Amino acid sequence: MSLRETGPDANSTAEAVARRSYGKLIAFLAARTRDVAAAEDALGDAFASALKEWPVKGCPSNPEAWLMTVAKRKMIDLGRRRRISGSAERELKLLAEELNEPMTDPDFPDHRLALMFACAHPAIDAAIRAPLILQTILGLDAERIASAFLISPAAMGQRLARAKAKIREAGIPFVVPETTELPGRLEAVLDAIYAAFAEGWSDPDATDAARRDLAEEAVYLGGLVSELLPDEPEALGLFALMLHAEARRHARRGANGEYVPLDEQDPARWVWPLIERAEALLERASALGAIGRYQLEAALQSAHVDRCRTGNKNWPAVVQLYDSLFALTASPVVALNRAVALAMAAGPDAALRRFYYDTVTHDHDLLADLVRYAGAGQVLLGSDRPFDMGTDDPVGEVRALGLAADEESVLGGTAARLLGAPGA
């Protein structure tokens, strides 16, 4: 295997490979034994070896293949030092045989999607699925993940270790589900990515670098899934949804850090290439003929962008989108969003009647909070200071558009609790 760059370039090459291929390498190494922790240890050792050798000897022409070969060898050595089951021993023997075969890119299958399905398997605790995907696919350490999810690094490390042990001990397969099972299983993967994005987006003061980075990593994962499953409309819808939100990130705060409602944001501060990409994804998804939650939420984003850009008061169309979303989710948060949109389209009285109808059997306290706020003459966009829940959808706008500092004074305790929940 030929060598090239040395010195600092070798370090940057290793960093680039880690960013580009960490999850692909882990997925390939763990696919046979289902031992994610062992694969991570082996690959970590391989990267350590690379950082010692590449600056001196030069980078290999195929860094991924070099790392894979070294990691396989280390994984085999690790397995020999441990007491492993007969099936795992057979798989390690296969890895040993592969060491004698030259590896090129076509021989390096991409099992990342299968690994994500393993991490989001029904046997894995739903609360740890998003952190597990972030670690196994992107290589984020427990401390960084913990800081974004607001728990201690030790607790996060323990939870991640238990989840990986569950994959190994339960024999959870590294496979993409069959067509008949795919919708339900894919939903778990998308929900985990969405949860990671919501955690990263819920930074009220826009000062938490760990949360901002987490949102960016979730966008990367959404792009990866949409690339690997280009004909799954909900994968495309989720990616479009996150791109729309990311495009407005810098516009949702004023010069002093205050929250800026969407209709008051300066569209010149939006990242229009991201919006255009989101629109193209949404168009592709709609052509596939299977509507879902994430497509509807992305469509709401698109409608709000169109209104802000053109001045077209498209509130009836927004209400129709919320009608469809509420039919899928029956969420009080969606009901509240729809009420605000309906207030813009037909007036606050119609909105309150519809909201009451939606929530009378769900949450009387929330209704009371809203009616009390309406009685003050300020809710449902009936005042000079619009309440923004009706001008954006709940991708983080529910929890993360910056309402956290003001929501208690705006709606009261119960409404604030619901508005603080991730998603719709």
Side-chain angles (χ1 to χ4, degrees), residues 128-160:
I128 200 63
R129 291 172 187 169
L132 188 59
I133 288 174
L134 288 167
Q135 184 165 86
T136 58
I137 300 297
L138 299 178
L140 304 187
D141 60 37
E143 182 176 1
R144 183 176 173 191
I145 298 171
S147 67
F149 283 85
L150 300 180
I151 68 172
S152 72
M156 177 60 75
Q158 291 170 358
R159 294 179 189 179
L160 289 167

Side-chain angles (χ1 to χ4, degrees), residues 118-129 132 163-164 166-167 172:
C119 293
H121 191 274
I124 301 298
D125 180 10
I128 200 63
R129 291 172 187 169
L132 188 59
K164 293 169 192 174
K166 182 72 172 182
I167 291 175
I172 292 174

